Amino acid sequence: MIRHHLQTLPSSFLMEPTLSPIGDAMGSEPIRLTIILKPRHAMNPAAPRLSRADFAHNHATDQVVIDRLVAYAQSHGLTVRLARAAEHRVCLSGTYAQARSAFEPDKLGRYRSAAGEHICRSGHLHVPPDLAEHVVAIMGFDERPVARPHFRLRPLRAAAETSYDPPAIAARYDFPTGTNGAKQTIALIELGGGYDAAQMSQYFAGLQIHRTGTLEAVPVDDVSVAPSGATDGPDGEVQLDIEVAGSVAPAANLAVYFGGNSSRAFLDTIAAAVHDSRRNPSVIAISWGGPETNWSAQDLDAMDQLFQTAGSLGISVCAASGDSGASDGSADGTLTVDFPASSPHVLGCGGTRLPSNGAESAWNDGPEGGASGGGYSSHFARPPWQSDTGPSGRGVPDVAGDADPATGYRVTLDGQARVVGGTSAVAPLWAALIARINQGLGSSVGFINPALYAAPAAFTDITSGNNNGYTCGPGWDPVTGLGTPIGSAIYSALKRH
């Protein structure tokens, strides 16, 4: 059969120093694949939100394409776990031998890195000619972790500067009064860890917050949800997200979606939230990410298409811009932005230092510490609503908030009182603000970026500091974006929008 090349990955993709080959992928090992297909018609997230029924009618993948792909996969012995035209997604399971037979990856093997042993691939994937033009990505052949949590613990013995309960930070940022997130659901995306519901309740009670919203764990792909007891790992991320969002928007429901840490599992976890018609989140917070340069082009495009879907359905997506400054912790120090924050259909959330007195500045603890992630995408073009940013790539972040551990958030992690910073705290903070604005407006703002860029006076412009690659200045900059929110002014601007 004649094949068409689907995707070429960089030649160095498997040659980075952190990967050592240790053998072939065993044919009998199980594999899960997610195939992302193009919508029938291009989406416009900036247009008025669509109902799920109207979205399916206008933008679902053609059913004949779904049926053709299903038949092809089954002919190679693969099992179809999910095939939904409205989600542009077909999920398969089987063995590596069956998957290899169907999609013929050029190079596939087992490699060792600092994160453990993983099956990775490079080169082309192949699909039949009658499917090639419809396929965006085939995800699942590469199992490496793609993301890390973006939070920083203040050392227990560090000299105290100042710290805040999350509602105090919301008050500093003048979140609109008379709102609490009622009738909204905030989705939190987690790639590991867990929480104890009783400990979460104790935290809110300690702040004298009576939460009326629900808290629910939503496992994706049979992922187990349980705290590990390691507060400096995924537990810390999960509980920080819950405590920030849940205390700032106490009437909002919190749905915590737990998935695995690979590009396929990450996408499937976000898709579970976007297409959840029962919980129906109006805003999604993502505090996990990794250097854009570590992602394959097909995976970036597949995730971005999902974020376009979210915007079309009236769902806002907030993502942390990273805690390692302008290099985002890249292995060779090359300046790069963090993904998913670099998607032009995501609200990238950077970090500041918020002293008890005096002006805010960019968060930067020096080359060996943490700093606000930011810069310019090498994959996504500058969007039309983001003008005059210099380079042609999409600029990150869009907005900012307190992220310096020295001026951080008072939370409890696995029952232990800690002070935490990082842009991981900023994403759920902004998600809570959007939930409160949605409540006040009586409708979801959805893809919010163009409206925010049209209202620069609704922000406190951060003009001092840097992120070890770029420097703050008047207006938008690739360190703190538009600045930190003046919540009531943003609410007023969106009412007029």
Side-chain angles (χ1 to χ4, degrees):
M1 179 180 291
I2 299 174
R3 305 285 188 176
H4 280 230
H5 288 160
L6 172 64
Q7 179 65 48
T8 302
L9 301 179
S11 59
S12 61
F13 197 65
L14 286 177
M15 304 304 174
E16 56 186 285
T18 56
L19 286 173
S20 302
I22 56 175
D24 196 8
M26 298 296 291
S28 59
E29 291 183 82
I31 187 173
R32 287 187 173 184
L33 299 176
T34 293
I35 302 178
I36 303 301
L37 300 164
K38 295 177 182 177
R40 180 184 299 114
H41 301 297
M43 295 176 277
N44 180 10
R49 64 172 296 187
L50 297 173
S51 67
R52 294 186 183 276
D54 286 342
F55 178 85
H57 177 76
N58 293 331
H59 299 297
T61 299
D62 285 331
Q63 187 61 45
V64 65
V65 175
I66 297 284
D67 294 343
R68 198 180 300 155
L69 176 57
V70 165
Y72 178 75
Q74 291 175 332
S75 73
H76 288 267
L78 292 164
T79 298
V80 178
R81 299 172 45 244
L82 178 151
R84 294 177 182 164
E87 298 185 15
H88 318 128
R89 192 164 58 124
V90 173
C91 297
L92 307 171
S93 62
T95 66
Y96 269 91
Q98 292 165 334
R100 263 180 158 161
S101 171
F103 302 111
E104 298 183 1
D106 282 352
K107 187 172 182 179
L108 186 69
R110 187 176 295 280
Y111 289 75
R112 181 181 291 112
S113 70
E117 295 182 7
H118 310 284
I119 293 176
C120 310
R121 76 164 184 92
S122 65
H124 299 95
L125 292 167
H126 303 82
V127 290
D130 59 350
L131 287 173
E133 65 178 298
H134 302 287
V135 177
V136 176
I138 299 174
M139 305 171 72
F141 281 104
D142 200 307
E143 298 178 340
R144 282 177 299 170
V146 293
R148 57 181 180 266
H150 291 316
F151 75 99
R152 299 273 175 141
L153 296 171
R154 181 196 286 182
L156 287 172
R157 296 179 181 177
E161 180 172 334
T162 190
S163 60
Y164 306 90
D165 296 326
I169 294 178
R172 283 283 297 268
Y173 291 146
D174 193 25
F175 280 24
T177 58
T179 61
N180 57 12
K183 298 183 179 179
Q184 304 297 313
T185 296
I186 300 172
L188 304 174
I189 304 300
E190 308 295 350
L191 307 183
Y195 66 90
D196 180 275
Q199 289 177 348
M200 299 299 97
S201 295
Q202 290 169 5
Y203 174 77
F204 297 125
L207 295 180
Q208 298 185 327
I209 290 174
H210 175 60
R211 267 197 51 80
T212 56
T214 60
L215 172 60
E216 180 182 7
V218 186
V220 179
D221 288 343
D222 306 318
V223 169
S224 60
V225 180
S228 67
T231 57
D232 59 348
D235 279 5
E237 184 57 70
V238 173
Q239 294 164 36
L240 172 66
D241 290 348
I242 291 171
E243 291 170 4
V244 171
S247 62
V248 175
N253 298 327
L254 302 181
V256 191
Y257 297 80
F258 288 90
N261 193 351
S262 68
S263 58
R264 176 202 61 79
F266 199 171
L267 180 140
D268 282 350
T269 306
I270 299 169
V274 170
H275 296 291
D276 191 340
S277 58
R278 181 169 75 82
R279 299 172 188 87
N280 207 29
S282 63
V283 58
I284 296 172
I286 305 172
S287 295
W288 299 70
E292 187 183 77
T293 50
N294 285 1
W295 291 72
S296 71
Q298 68 150 18
D299 293 357
L300 293 170
D301 291 338
M303 293 275 278
D304 182 61
Q305 180 174 293
L306 180 58
F307 297 136
Q308 292 180 53
T309 297
S312 298
L313 293 170
I315 304 169
S316 307
V317 182
C318 306
S321 73
D323 294 352
S324 300
S327 72
D328 201 40
S330 59
D332 60 1
T334 300
L335 300 191
T336 185
V337 288
D338 198 85
F339 185 82
S342 69
S343 163
H345 300 99
V346 163
L347 186 71
C349 301
T352 65
R353 177 184 181 86
L354 183 65
S356 55
N357 295 294
E360 265 181 288
S361 60
W363 167 41
N364 188 341
D365 290 335
E368 302 304 318
S372 176
Y376 298 92
S377 173
S378 60
H379 181 80
F380 298 106
R382 182 174 64 222
W385 38 265
Q386 190 178 54
S387 59
D388 301 323
T389 59
S392 60
R394 185 273 203 268
V396 183
D398 300 296
V399 298
D402 181 30
D404 191 334
T407 63
Y409 300 66
R410 292 194 291 262
V411 295
T412 63
L413 305 181
D414 290 326
Q416 182 181 17
R418 297 300 301 265
V419 176
V420 179
T423 56
S424 279
V426 187
L429 181 74
W430 267 91
L433 171 59
I434 292 171
R436 288 173 58 163
I437 289 173
N438 287 345
Q439 175 198 1
L441 296 176
S443 62
S444 298
V445 296
F447 178 46
I448 197 173
N449 297 30
L452 294 180
Y453 277 81
F459 291 83
T460 298
D461 192 11
I462 310 301
T463 57
S464 64
N466 65 79
N467 65 354
N468 304 318
Y470 302 97
T471 301
C472 291
W476 181 91
D477 59 64
V479 184
T480 59
L482 295 167
T484 54
I486 306 171
S488 61
I490 293 174
Y491 178 49
S492 295
L494 291 171
K495 286 178 71 174
R496 297 190 300 267
H497 184 69

